Amino acid sequence: MLEFRHVHKTYTTPQGPLSVLSGVDLHLDAGESVALMGESGSGKSTLLHLAAGLDLPDRGEVCIHSQSLASLDESGRAHVRRETLGLVFQQFHLVASLNVADNLRLQARLAGCEDSVWSAKLLERLGLAGRENHYPEQLSGGQQQRLAIGRALASRPALLLADEPTGNLDETTAETVLELLLELVAESGSSLLMVTHSPKVAAPLDRRLILRHGQLLAESGESHLPCV
Amino acid sequence: MCKQWNLNPLRRGLSVLCLLLLVACGPASESKSESGNSADSLTDVSGGDRAGFAGLGTSSKGYTHASSTTSISFPEDHGPHPDFRIEWWYLTANLENENREPMGIQWTLFRQAQQPQVPDVERGAKPKLEPWATNQLWMAHMALSHGDRHRVAERFARGASEPLPSVAHQAGVTAQPFIAWLDDWRLESLTNNSAGDTLDHLRLTAQAEDENGTFGYRLELKAEGPLVRHGIHGFSQKSADGQGSMYYSQPFYRVSGEVMLDGERVAVRGQAWLDREWSSQLLSASQIGWDWFSLHLDSGARLMAFRLRGGGKNHDDYLSGSWIKPDGEVMPLDGSTLTLVPLASADAAGHRIPVRWRLTLPEQSLDLEITARHANRWMNTSVPYWEGAVSVSDASSGVPRGEGYLEMTGY
Amino acid sequence: MRLIGVVLVTLFSHYRRHPGQLAMLLLGLWIAGALWSSVQAINASARDNYARAEALLGNGFDRLEREDGQTLTRDDFVQLRRAGVLVSPLLEGELITDRGETLTLIGIDPLTLPGDSTLARGQALGGLQGFIMPPWQTRLAPDTRSQLGTNPTLRSGTPFPPMIDVPELPPNTLVMDIAIAAKLLRADDSITALVSAADTLPAAPSGFTLVRADTRSSPGELTQSFHLNLTAMALLALIVGLFIVQAALGLALEQRLGLLRTLRALGVSGRTLVALLALELVLLGLLGALVGLISGLWLAKTLLPDVAATLQSLYGADVSTQLSLPWHFWLGGIGVTLGGLFIAGSGVLWRASRISLLGLGQAQVWRAGFQRQLLAQTWLGGVAALSALALLWLSTRTSGDALDSGFGLVVGFGLVAAIILAAALWLPPLLALVLSVSLSGLSRLTYLARSWPLTQWALADLQLQLPRLSLAMMALLIALSANLGVSSMVGGFRLTFLDWLDQRLMADLYLKPPAAQFAAIDAWLVQRDVVHERLISADADSQLLEIATGSAASRRPGLPLLIFGITPGQTLMADWPLLATLGDRDAAWQALKYGNAFVNEQLARGEGIVLGDRLSLATPGGGESVTVVGIYPDYGNPRGEVVMATHQVRRLFRVSPGSIGVVMQPGEDAGLLRQQLIERFNLTPHSLRDQREVKTTATAIFERTFAITRALNGLTLGVAALALLAALLAQAQERRRRLAALWAIGVPLRRLLSIQLAQLAGAALITGLLAIPLGIAITACLVWGINVAAFGWRLPLHIFPGEISLTLLTAVLVALLAAGLPMLKLWRTPPRSLLAEEET
């Protein structure tokens, strides 16, 4: 499904080069859910951006469905994002000028796989039924994030990439949203790679990985998961 | 003093002038497509129905009509007849230069009334005489041909039925002394006896310019016979329904003088024929054109013959003519004493023209073949027609019998 | 296709939520398009009119005039024709309709008018009878006809002959047969001209002079500079309008940056996104261009009568007050608006194509480079300033010779453009410099900073606003300086012109008596004690055959000229305006009396004539040589002219005297004399005009001449105000948040608002101050460069303090006005909700 092979990524900063990832290997099976943990600045978001093809590694390979993202051009990668991936960000990135229903269906429409039954079900499950004609600014923070999750899942992506999806929410809301996210991921049959710094959030997922000093470690901190 | 804001109106005025050509193109080209032939003409301007060649068959209500009871008297009738619609002074000459090469000239002054004259009684008080007022249109054609060259010029002038007295006019005709002119083109009598003028001594001068340079002639004409009245005392019937014209000729001119062509002056001599004709309705409405012959025969006799196409009984052709003996005695000809048959045609400026004819006069035991010397004698004037010199020979033996001029219209 | 549809709908959804932005964008396009296309419509329409006038001229006609200067008559025509000289009579005059419209009537004789071919003549006869026979015909262009309305009559009540449309005719021109024309003009047997086809007459017949066709001064050429002026003004409006578009597009992009990023994260490729943004531009552009075109037409219709009056008074060119537009006008209008839109939008597209996917949520990224931008602008401004210097050098170098006015004009406009560009580019760095210097000054004097914390904040805040504001301020600067430049030029011209009019119109009464009465009237005037002096004038058409300069080889321009005769008496010699004389004034006047000449400024400049040159003029008696002893200003006259003493003009050119100017004894009333003249000689009031009347007419013409310039100028300023408003609206939301923070820490709202007004007014004031020298520079370019090239005369530079203060006031007012709307919104929003406004 998703595979990182010896991925290196270095950024140039005014203070000199900063190595963020140095030889990351990662393998994610279909239907699997993985939590990616680590301290602030450990490179979690970078890894997620690489997985989404928003950025390219300096060395190594990132593959989705065995297809190296680096071998695709910009519109090829856009195609992969559109058709295969779902993205949920810490900031919700909803389209302010579209109402709830249109925001929810936006990616599915872009991918050409709009499923109105599934969309309606999502709206229902996300607790947004009856608010289809509201605009994002009229929703609470939890509602906005639920909408963002719904948008990512409306196209039934093979892989959902989530970056601190509950980071902006209070604890209770975060719990409900997370629960819902996992349920819906299971229902849509997507894989999940979720960045979080909260062990509590990471707990329900199949596996938990920790990013430290540019290296990926299993939760125990001992086992190094090799690329299969 | 504050004239800095003045414009220069005159220049602007001038700039507008060419417009007339543009202006009038519109309606003219329209009527051309309507009538379907090239008979777009001077007389067309009378509006209403177009009929006959150049509108000469148009109804002529309000004009005086030619009839067999009209008499001709000289010298008055050398002058214009403004109460008739159309009139011409028509001169053709068969000439030869010092190398005995044939040349031909034509000079014609046309007068056309634009509207019938209103009798004085109806008009009441005479209107103020206006210098530019127009009810007569003058048009003159000249042609000079030599071999394949055929140079043509045309001029126009406005006129009035009652020209302002003691004022110069651009065009006109006076009977005593006889002068017919338009601009500097003149046909004038040289006789001392203007009261009894029989036009037996005339001078013709005309000169024009086109893109090939100047051409013209200055000729002296002396009659060797009398004036000749055609038809019935000068009334020449033109169709079976009685339309006709007043028509006399001087067919016996000897000519000498010079022509100017290609920058050279050439002495010429030959014989000429003057036609005088006026009418208000020359043709009937169904006649589409004519073929007109004026021939000088070597025998000393002269022959005028014409065929009007359409307008005869049952709309067949109408034939007429005059056999003129060397002493001037006239014998009218008609369909029973004259036959005219076209034998061959040729192309002249895009028009299909009969250029060889057979003319028979059974009573005179004459069987003549008449051949155009050159097909290229098309008169590309506002009223287009064909006018050129012909040679006459015996139809069976081919022996030369004379020369003359042929005019063909409506082709 | 589906993807494109979804993305387009999503992009446009922004405008559904922010219709104001869409309105601003369309407004910018509309204004830019409307002004531009209206001027283009006027130009295209006028060009069409000139083309008609010139097409009719064809190769032109030669003209014959009587050697004795008498009026030509029908008899001259007939005598010439009968002598074989193929001339045609022409009668020209003016008709006044019942509604007071003046039309040119041309009477022709179609039977003798020279034509190109016999064939053409033959066809011409087709429609002849209606033309030459009662009730005759009035041939006129359809636009003239619709201008006349239904059933027009002459002032006398006489109806026009039946009208026939001839689209090829120039506007305001009627063509009739000479018979009816003579009747309507009461010309009897006199005619205005005898013409012949160009170059067909080898020489003049005896008793006549031959004036060859003049194909030189066609209206199109004469008025070229005027249209160039209009185009420059319209271009200015277009550019300022595009500033609005730029501001609106920038705002729409900035507010949609998040949307664009989200779309890319959701799998829309960058290329697709840029292509779709471009498509969005095209769609908006088409809409804006269409609306602009339609209102441009309306504007053109409104302005056209003034333009037509200007062209008529300035150049004598007839332009219809009806629009007639060729097809390419429509394409051109849309093309220019779309092109302008893309220039304005290219920056936006470029930025959109470079959105960093990783910078999600950081909307200010693209503004980070403002410092770099300021540096680049400083450099570019330097380049523009250098080109201005180069052009200045070029123009001073070329103005000495008799230069091609087209080239001079282009250099002049180039110079103005370069100066404006340099100033506009330097404005933002200048503003930034002023701000940073004031800020560092404040912080160095810490006690000041302590006591004026809000001032410090205001300066810092303005610094933050600068990237957004700079473009709008540039637009304001351009509009203000152009406004100042043009109004100073017009004002200066007005002053000079009125002054000059006073000097030229020295007689109290002007009369143009009928030729037959001239001697009697003149003799009568001599005996009046109240008359101080009679100024008799005469004019003649001639040709400038040769110019002989002392040193250089002589030139042969073959230029047609008007010779104007004046009476060098006490009155004129004292005050008649002269720019330069050979020797002192008295010497020049003495020389004039003895047969030498003055030339007007435009002739001197146009032909490079200097004092002392000898001109050879065509006279009926052959070439006559005169020395140039003076140069005089002749404002408003498009053509070259030579002045000589009246008695010399009459002698040399065999013309009769034209008019008498009556100078009254001091304190005597001209009105009484006028009354006596009318009664005694049975004159029409028309042939007698007093000085005041002439002055009023001239001034009225002058005002109309510049009406269009003023109108366009005002519109440009209005557009600049809108650009500023657009820029302020663009940052309103962001500013509200910033102000809310200050409000939260305890600054009263009223105080905050006044600070903001002060910020903008200050920025506008600096812009206005910069506009003053810039405006003066533009005025100088206009009066010393462009005017000379376009009209042939040079004006003194006048500076109007009133105009300058007005400019400053306008700048501040425009800024305050533009700030008002966002301010009002701010005032009415509870600050609490400002704090809660979320950043998207």
Side-chain angles (χ1 to χ4, degrees):
Chain A
M1 172 73 259
L2 170 70
E3 198 167 332
F4 276 59
R5 285 188 209 131
H6 307 299
V7 169
H8 290 256
K9 185 71 188 176
T10 304
Y11 287 111
T12 331
T13 68
Q15 287 75 37
L18 174 69
S19 173
V20 184
L21 302 179
S22 39
V24 168
D25 290 296
L26 168 66
H27 177 86
L28 195 71
D29 281 325
E32 199 183 6
S33 63
V34 171
L36 184 60
M37 300 167 70
E39 291 161 12
S40 288
S42 61
K44 302 187 298 287
S45 292
T46 302
L47 192 144
L48 207 66
H49 288 156
L50 291 174
L54 296 172
D55 205 352
L56 290 175
D58 299 333
R59 264 193 292 149
E61 253 187 331
V62 179
C63 305
I64 288 178
H65 285 320
S66 312
Q67 168 81 58
S68 166
L69 290 178
S71 69
L72 298 171
D73 62 0
E74 206 274 330
S75 48
R77 287 195 296 277
H79 187 264
V80 168
R81 276 202 298 281
R82 194 162 71 228
E83 313 259 318
T84 317
L85 302 183
L87 291 164
V88 181
F89 300 98
Q90 187 173 0
Q91 253 113 25
F92 320 124
H93 292 306
L94 295 168
V95 177
S97 54
L98 294 181
N99 64 20
V100 168
D102 287 334
N103 258 299
L104 185 88
R105 293 182 176 89
L106 180 58
Q107 187 172 7
R109 280 176 179 163
L110 288 173
C113 59
E114 189 185 352
D115 177 343
S116 51
V117 178
W118 173 236
S119 303
K121 191 176 173 190
L122 275 176
L123 274 174
E124 185 68 45
R125 295 289 311 277
L126 292 165
L128 294 169
R131 292 180 163 260
E132 288 89 342
N133 292 323
H134 287 65
Y135 283 89
E137 71 206 38
Q138 295 165 301
L139 301 178
S140 71
Q143 285 170 326
Q144 290 194 34
Q145 188 58 302
R146 274 181 278 167
L147 178 55
I149 292 167
R151 181 181 67 192
L153 288 172
S155 58
R156 294 179 190 272
L159 172 62
L160 183 70
L161 299 170
D163 189 358
E164 300 272 13
T166 59
N168 266 354
L169 306 176
D170 64 73
E171 208 172 320
T172 352
T173 320
E175 261 174 52
T176 354
V177 168
L178 186 65
E179 230 168 88
L180 192 61
L181 172 69
L182 293 175
E183 273 176 44
L184 291 174
V185 165
E187 271 176 52
S188 66
S190 310
S191 310
L192 171 67
L193 176 62
M194 180 164 75
V195 168
T196 180
H197 61 270
S198 154
K200 197 173 167 190
V201 171
L205 272 61
D206 295 350
R207 275 196 288 151
R208 282 154 296 280
L209 303 174
I210 295 171
L211 192 58
R212 190 175 295 149
H213 306 308
Q215 302 280 318
L216 208 51
L217 312 165
E219 191 183 17
S220 58
E222 297 148 16
S223 77
H224 182 93
L225 287 175
C227 217
V228 179
Chain B
M1 188 72 96
C2 183
K3 55 162 194 55
Q4 69 280 0
W5 297 107
N6 280 355
L7 31 145
N8 185 342
L10 189 62
R11 184 170 293 111
R12 202 151 31 89
L14 294 178
S15 71
V16 182
L17 281 183
C18 278
L19 68 101
L20 185 88
L21 300 165
L22 294 167
V23 168
C25 273
S29 48
E30 230 167 74
S31 63
K32 203 154 206 165
S33 58
E34 272 167 34
S35 54
N37 61 33
S38 55
D40 196 18
S41 76
L42 205 54
T43 27
D44 267 350
V45 294
S46 54
D49 306 3
R50 280 183 189 84
F53 171 75
L56 293 175
T58 314
S59 159
S60 52
K61 206 160 161 273
Y63 293 102
T64 311
H65 283 264
S67 76
S68 54
T69 58
T70 314
S71 65
I72 294 181
S73 58
F74 305 122
E76 296 80 18
D77 281 325
H78 300 324
H81 303 80
D83 47 338
F84 286 77
R85 200 168 59 175
I86 180 96
E87 178 161 21
W88 53 64
W89 294 256
Y90 210 128
L91 194 103
T92 53
N94 296 91
L95 305 173
E96 58 182 34
N97 63 12
E98 285 145 332
N99 301 330
R100 309 209 49 145
E101 291 166 352
M103 299 180 98
I105 66 107
Q106 179 216 341
W107 187 90
T108 314
L109 180 64
F110 299 91
R111 177 195 60 77
Q112 193 199 353
Q114 295 299 294
Q115 61 187 26
Q117 274 189 297
V118 183
D120 281 349
V121 279
E122 283 177 36
R123 197 164 48 189
K126 270 197 168 184
K128 185 174 173 274
L129 295 171
E130 281 157 8
W132 299 102
T134 312
N135 58 11
Q136 301 281 335
L137 207 62
W138 295 93
M139 171 171 81
H141 290 177
M142 70 175 282
L144 172 58
S145 25
H146 180 208
D148 58 356
R149 279 169 299 177
H150 181 60
R151 309 277 292 272
V152 176
E154 178 178 37
R155 295 222 185 139
F156 301 90
R158 58 178 68 216
S161 304
E162 293 171 57
L164 287 172
S166 64
V167 163
H169 296 280
Q170 191 195 346
V173 179
T174 55
Q176 293 182 68
F178 173 76
I179 308 171
W181 80 96
L182 195 157
D183 294 344
D184 54 335
W185 297 0
R186 290 163 73 87
L187 178 66
E188 61 193 310
S189 174
L190 299 179
T191 185
N192 298 324
N193 171 22
S194 68
D197 192 358
T198 52
L199 305 184
D200 51 4
H201 191 185
L202 299 180
R203 181 164 60 213
L204 173 66
T205 41
Q207 183 169 315
E209 206 156 325
D210 62 13
E211 62 278 7
N212 295 319
T214 309
F215 63 97
Y217 35 73
R218 181 185 178 87
L219 303 171
E220 202 162 309
L221 297 86
K222 284 192 173 142
E224 294 183 339
L227 287 166
V228 168
R229 292 173 173 83
H230 298 284
I232 308 155
H233 313 300
F235 174 69
S236 164
Q237 192 174 328
K238 292 295 191 289
S239 75
D241 58 13
Q243 310 294 348
S245 62
M246 302 310 298
Y247 185 8
Y248 70 87
S249 302
Q250 172 46 274
F252 297 109
Y253 284 123
R254 280 279 145 205
V255 185
S256 63
E258 58 177 22
V259 303
M260 184 155 75
L261 188 61
D262 301 332
E264 278 180 72
R265 289 180 184 281
V266 181
V268 290
R269 49 191 298 113
Q271 42 194 351
W273 182 306
L274 173 73
D275 270 344
R276 279 281 293 120
E277 192 160 9
W278 61 97
S279 169
S280 288
Q281 185 164 12
L282 194 65
L283 304 181
S284 75
S286 58
Q287 288 172 332
I288 52 164
W290 63 74
D291 310 295
W292 208 294
F293 297 80
S294 52
L295 307 176
H296 305 267
L297 298 181
D298 294 343
S299 62
R302 302 291 188 259
L303 173 62
M304 186 281 288
F306 59 86
R307 177 181 79 149
L308 296 165
R309 302 196 297 282
K313 290 190 183 90
N314 310 319
H315 294 294
D316 53 2
D317 296 345
Y318 183 85
L319 283 171
S320 178
S322 298
W323 174 255
I324 306 160
K325 293 183 181 165
D327 62 0
E329 189 190 333
V330 178
M331 294 176 59
L333 303 170
D334 62 17
S336 61
T337 52
L338 167 71
T339 66
L340 256 176
V341 182
L343 299 177
S345 293
D347 191 75
H351 301 265
R352 199 72 190 150
I353 295 291
V355 288
R356 208 144 60 74
W357 293 79
R358 179 126 183 219
L359 188 152
T360 55
L361 296 171
E363 286 187 5
Q364 279 74 30
S365 324
L366 277 175
D367 186 358
L368 302 173
E369 192 169 297
I370 297 160
T371 312
R373 289 212 167 110
H374 209 286
N376 174 30
R377 294 292 181 257
W378 187 257
M379 298 290 291
N380 193 19
T381 40
S382 54
V383 185
Y385 55 101
W386 189 100
E387 174 97 33
V390 291
S391 49
V392 182
S393 58
D394 189 274
S396 48
S397 68
V399 175
R401 289 275 186 249
E403 60 184 357
Y405 249 79
L406 167 58
E407 177 183 85
M408 295 183 281
T409 65
Y411 287 97
Chain C
M1 243 3 258
R2 180 200 62 243
L3 178 78
I4 290 170
V6 174
V7 176
L8 261 189
V9 167
T10 310
L11 284 175
F12 271 119
S13 71
H14 173 79
Y15 291 117
R16 206 174 57 215
R17 296 281 288 160
H18 301 93
Q21 280 177 29
L22 181 65
M24 193 55 77
L25 182 60
L26 288 179
L27 184 71
L29 277 176
W30 173 54
I31 291 175
L35 284 182
W36 172 260
S37 54
S38 71
V39 167
Q40 288 313 301
I42 288 170
N43 285 351
S45 201
R47 272 189 211 113
D48 170 75
N49 288 176
Y50 304 148
R52 269 148 64 187
E54 275 164 44
L56 291 174
L57 179 66
N59 288 329
F61 293 108
D62 290 344
R63 257 167 43 208
L64 284 183
E65 280 167 8
R66 279 178 69 113
E67 234 172 46
D68 58 10
Q70 294 294 306
T71 315
L72 292 163
T73 64
R74 179 181 173 280
D75 206 47
D76 291 317
F77 159 69
V78 171
Q79 297 305 345
L80 283 168
R81 290 291 299 199
R82 290 189 63 172
V85 182
L86 298 190
V87 290
S88 185
L90 195 73
L91 182 59
E92 202 231 22
E94 286 192 335
L95 285 183
I96 300 175
T97 67
D98 50 349
R99 294 200 301 192
E101 278 166 293
T102 307
L103 296 162
T104 303
L105 169 61
I106 296 166
I108 56 170
D109 176 27
L111 299 171
T112 51
L113 194 72
D116 289 341
S117 70
T118 348
L119 186 69
R121 165 64 51 69
Q123 286 184 330
L125 285 169
L128 186 68
Q129 190 175 30
F131 190 77
I132 62 168
M133 295 292 294
W136 296 283
Q137 284 172 2
T138 306
R139 295 198 165 166
L140 74 179
D143 41 9
T144 314
R145 184 181 198 158
S146 51
Q147 207 172 308
L148 286 176
T150 47
N151 300 324
T153 61
L154 294 176
R155 186 172 271 178
S156 57
T158 319
F160 284 93
M163 300 198 179
I164 304 283
D165 282 348
V166 180
E168 296 83 358
L169 280 177
N172 301 330
T173 304
L174 310 180
V175 174
M176 298 182 195
D177 184 59
I178 193 165
I180 178 66
K183 217 163 160 176
L184 292 177
L185 295 172
R186 295 164 206 265
D188 200 30
D189 70 342
S190 71
I191 51 181
T192 329
L194 279 171
V195 297
S196 67
D199 297 323
T200 46
L201 296 185
S206 76
F208 292 86
T209 51
L210 180 61
V211 182
R212 293 283 181 197
D214 163 30
T215 46
R216 261 180 43 93
S217 47
S218 55
E221 265 173 58
L222 270 178
T223 54
Q224 197 185 14
S225 51
F226 177 81
H227 290 291
L228 196 58
N229 266 323
L230 271 191
T231 306
M233 293 289 282
L235 202 60
L236 192 65
L238 182 72
I239 290 168
V240 174
L242 291 178
F243 273 112
I244 301 183
V245 174
Q246 162 90 9
L249 282 178
L251 175 62
L253 178 76
E254 182 148 342
Q255 295 201 335
R256 287 190 296 178
L257 270 182
L259 165 65
L260 297 181
R261 286 211 181 86
T262 305
L263 281 173
R264 290 203 55 192
L266 295 183
V268 180
S269 72
R271 210 178 314 147
T272 312
L273 213 48
V274 171
L276 288 175
L277 279 173
L279 182 63
E280 184 193 69
L281 274 188
V282 171
L283 292 176
L284 289 173
L286 281 179
L287 184 64
L290 206 69
V291 178
L293 211 59
I294 292 167
S295 17
L297 284 186
W298 173 83
L299 193 62
K301 258 191 203 142
T302 318
L303 294 176
L304 198 55
D306 277 333
V307 176
T310 303
L311 288 167
Q312 168 72 40
S313 58
L314 220 48
Y315 301 100
D318 243 328
V319 169
S320 165
T321 54
Q322 311 271 319
L323 285 174
S324 55
L325 297 169
W327 60 270
H328 52 81
F329 161 77
W330 303 96
L331 277 189
I334 290 182
V336 167
T337 314
L338 275 184
L341 176 63
F342 268 87
I343 291 171
S346 59
V348 168
L349 288 180
W350 185 75
R351 289 201 309 250
S353 70
R354 298 178 61 100
I355 296 169
S356 153
L357 270 172
L358 298 173
L360 289 165
Q362 297 160 17
Q364 287 86 348
V365 166
W366 61 271
R367 263 194 279 144
F370 186 61
Q371 284 305 322
R372 231 183 5 240
Q373 188 191 324
L374 284 184
L375 196 66
Q377 284 200 350
T378 313
W379 279 109
L380 283 175
V383 171
L386 282 179
S387 0
L389 284 178
L391 284 168
L392 189 65
W393 175 78
L394 196 65
S395 68
T396 50
R397 242 182 67 93
T398 45
S399 65
D401 336 322
L403 77 159
D404 170 22
S405 80
F407 178 69
L409 216 52
V410 169
V411 169
F413 277 121
L415 181 59
V416 171
I419 291 175
I420 290 182
L421 196 65
L425 284 170
W426 275 344
L427 178 67
L430 181 75
L431 284 174
L433 188 71
V434 169
L435 282 175
S436 68
V437 165
S438 337
L439 262 179
S440 64
L442 260 185
S443 44
R444 209 167 301 141
L445 306 166
T446 37
Y447 70 96
L448 271 183
R450 221 174 297 136
S451 52
W452 289 348
L454 269 180
T455 311
Q456 194 180 18
W457 176 84
L459 288 173
D461 182 65
L462 191 57
Q463 218 170 16
L464 266 180
Q465 291 185 54
L466 204 55
R468 257 303 173 28
L469 278 180
S470 61
L471 211 60
M473 287 298 166
M474 282 160 75
L476 187 63
L477 176 72
I478 293 177
L480 282 175
S481 50
N483 202 284
L484 182 62
V486 171
S487 58
S488 302
M489 189 271 280
V490 175
F493 188 13
R494 193 189 149 87
L495 222 62
T496 313
F497 176 74
L498 291 180
D499 206 27
W500 169 83
L501 211 57
D502 273 339
Q503 291 175 319
R504 282 284 291 256
L505 295 177
M506 272 171 306
D508 301 276
L509 206 59
Y510 290 91
L511 68 154
K512 202 174 166 61
Q517 275 177 292
F518 193 96
I521 291 178
D522 193 41
W524 185 79
L525 283 172
V526 172
Q527 291 161 3
R528 298 305 104 188
D529 287 338
V530 294
V531 175
H532 173 62
E533 197 176 0
R534 293 157 302 116
L535 307 175
I536 295 169
S537 74
D539 49 57
D541 284 315
S542 177
Q543 222 178 342
L544 178 54
L545 300 173
E546 190 177 343
I547 304 166
T549 310
S551 54
S554 59
R555 282 158 288 147
R556 298 171 180 278
L559 184 74
L561 269 187
L562 188 74
I563 311 291
F564 188 58
I566 60 174
T567 305
Q570 232 179 335
T571 318
L572 289 192
M573 285 164 68
D575 287 326
W576 215 67
L578 284 171
L579 293 174
T581 51
L582 193 68
D584 60 9
R585 262 185 84 99
D586 277 342
W589 280 108
Q590 291 309 323
L592 185 82
K593 269 187 198 169
Y594 293 110
N596 289 314
F598 295 163
V599 298
N600 68 356
E601 187 186 358
Q602 31 278 62
L603 182 65
R605 286 186 190 280
E607 297 301 324
I609 296 170
V610 294
L611 295 170
D613 282 0
R614 290 190 71 73
L615 309 181
S616 172
L617 302 170
T619 71
E624 185 71 29
S625 189
V626 296
T627 303
V628 176
V629 294
I631 296 175
Y632 62 96
D634 195 9
Y635 305 115
N637 184 356
R639 292 165 213 271
E641 192 180 282
V642 170
V643 155
M644 296 176 70
T646 302
H647 64 273
Q648 301 285 4
V649 173
R650 293 193 52 193
R651 181 180 61 85
L652 288 174
F653 297 92
R654 299 175 201 173
V655 291
S656 35
S659 69
I660 310 177
V662 181
V663 185
M664 305 296 290
Q665 292 288 7
E668 294 296 342
D669 179 23
L672 191 66
L673 185 74
R674 178 196 171 106
Q675 211 45 50
Q676 288 172 336
L677 274 167
I678 290 177
E679 279 162 19
R680 186 180 174 93
F681 294 99
N682 198 18
L683 297 175
T684 56
H686 231 54
S687 57
L688 244 164
R689 305 175 81 189
D690 70 26
Q691 188 198 40
R692 236 171 318 136
E693 223 179 307
V694 179
K695 236 181 253 180
T696 315
T697 315
T699 316
I701 289 170
F702 176 86
E703 299 297 346
R704 283 202 89 175
T705 301
F706 286 98
I708 175 141
T709 311
R710 291 213 172 106
L712 276 179
N713 213 7
L715 284 171
T716 314
L717 199 60
V719 172
L722 276 172
L724 194 59
L725 177 65
L728 290 174
L729 283 179
Q731 57 167 8
Q733 200 183 15
E734 192 188 318
R735 302 227 3 97
R736 280 208 296 273
R737 264 199 302 278
R738 234 180 273 157
L739 292 179
L742 273 180
W743 171 79
I745 58 168
V747 183
L749 194 57
R750 191 183 298 271
R751 190 83 180 276
L752 282 176
L753 294 183
S754 45
I755 285 176
Q756 202 179 7
L757 285 178
Q759 284 175 321
L760 280 171
L765 197 65
I766 294 177
T767 309
L769 284 172
L770 188 59
I772 291 168
L774 188 58
I776 293 174
I778 292 173
T779 314
C781 288
L782 286 173
V783 298
W784 291 338
I786 291 177
N787 256 342
V788 176
F791 304 109
W793 66 76
R794 189 186 170 114
L795 291 171
L797 177 67
H798 288 272
I799 290 178
F800 300 88
E803 291 281 351
I804 290 176
S805 5
L806 196 67
T807 302
L808 278 181
L809 197 66
T810 315
V812 174
L813 270 181
V814 159
L816 292 183
L817 217 63
L821 190 63
M823 207 66 74
L824 199 67
K825 209 167 163 188
L826 186 63
W827 181 254
R828 288 159 62 172
T829 319
R832 236 172 301 101
S833 66
L834 293 181
L835 278 174
E837 265 185 18
E838 206 228 328
E839 212 167 313
T840 37

